[in-house]
């Protein structure tokens, strides 16, 4: 599949009991069913691939689909990929730039690497284990940290 060939998701019913189809009046995507949620995701190119699909076609394509939901959304993304997403941003979506160096600066990166490189770690013996990749574990742990930051900011904003 190629980025240009990704079709927008079909309209879907968001509220079954009242029959609203959830489609925006202008046909631009699916209306968000719940204004009290914020979608938070990250796409950092650490070299992980699903088959022979490029990062742009795989992860960036998925971000486009997430944005078509038109829910409040925060995307942590490398600066070089921002131009691929900007045309699909809506008024309730934002990008926060993160780079590989941010993963390397994660406070527990050295401890994570120590575990990943340990001969006693059972994961090293698996035929395929993305956790053996240099930045994978730091990315997974950083996502939890970034999500917590978004939650803290949301609560602080709700109080003010």
């Amino acid at each position: 599949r190629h980025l240009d060939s990704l079709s927008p998701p079909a309209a879907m019913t968001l509220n079954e009991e009242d029959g609203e189809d959830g489609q925006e009046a202008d046909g631009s995507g699916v209306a968000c069913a719940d204004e009290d949620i914020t979608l938070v995701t990250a796409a950092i190119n650490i070299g992980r691939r699903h088959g022979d699909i490029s990062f742009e076609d795989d992860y960036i394509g998925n971000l486009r689909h997430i944005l078509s939901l038109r829910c409040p959304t925060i995307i942590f993304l490398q600066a070089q990929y921002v131009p691929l997403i900007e045309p699909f941003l809506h008024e309730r979506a934002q990008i926060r730039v993160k780079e590989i160096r941010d993963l390397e600066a994660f406070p527990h990166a050295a401890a994570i690497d120590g575990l990943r490189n340990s001969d006693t770690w059972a994961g090293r013996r698996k035929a395929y284990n993305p956790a053996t990749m240099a930045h994978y574990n730091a990315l997974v742990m950083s996502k939890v940290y970034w999500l917590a930051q978004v939650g803290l900011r949301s609560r602080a904003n709700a109080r003010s």
Side-chain angles (χ1 to χ4, degrees):
R1 93 187 162 168
H2 296 287
L3 191 61
D4 293 337
S5 68
L6 293 174
S7 58
M12 56 188 251
T13 299
L14 296 176
N15 193 344
E16 297 288 341
E17 58 273 1
D18 67 10
E20 292 176 18
D21 71 2
Q23 185 70 29
E24 290 288 319
D26 64 1
S28 64
V30 177
C32 187
D34 190 340
E35 296 299 318
D36 291 334
I37 64 166
T38 297
L39 304 176
V40 181
T41 189
I44 308 293
N45 189 352
I46 60 169
R48 183 176 184 196
R49 296 290 176 269
H50 297 108
D52 61 354
I53 298 172
S54 72
F55 179 84
E56 293 82 356
D57 287 340
D58 191 3
Y59 290 90
I60 301 301
N62 289 332
L63 292 176
R64 286 175 51 182
H65 285 292
I66 288 170
L67 288 167
S68 74
L69 297 174
R70 306 198 54 82
C71 290
T73 305
I74 297 173
I75 300 171
F76 292 93
L77 185 67
Q78 288 165 286
Q80 72 188 73
Y81 300 110
V82 170
L84 299 175
I85 292 297
E86 279 179 325
F88 303 95
L89 289 177
H90 50 80
E91 66 282 350
R92 297 180 298 175
Q94 58 182 276
I95 293 175
R96 297 193 184 162
V97 173
K98 294 291 182 180
E99 301 292 345
I100 295 291
R101 68 180 170 272
D102 295 306
L103 301 178
E104 293 167 346
F106 183 69
H108 307 289
I112 292 168
D113 256 4
L115 291 172
R116 184 178 62 81
N117 293 315
S118 169
D119 289 333
T120 60
W121 179 51
R124 292 187 62 76
R125 295 186 286 280
K126 292 182 179 179
Y128 172 74
N129 185 346
T132 60
M133 296 177 69
H135 295 103
Y136 180 84
N137 293 314
L139 175 58
V140 170
M141 300 290 284
S142 292
K143 285 180 181 182
V144 174
Y145 179 72
W146 298 335
L147 179 60
Q149 286 180 320
V150 168
L152 290 172
R153 285 188 191 128
S154 295
R155 280 200 311 254
N157 290 340
R159 286 187 209 126
S160 55

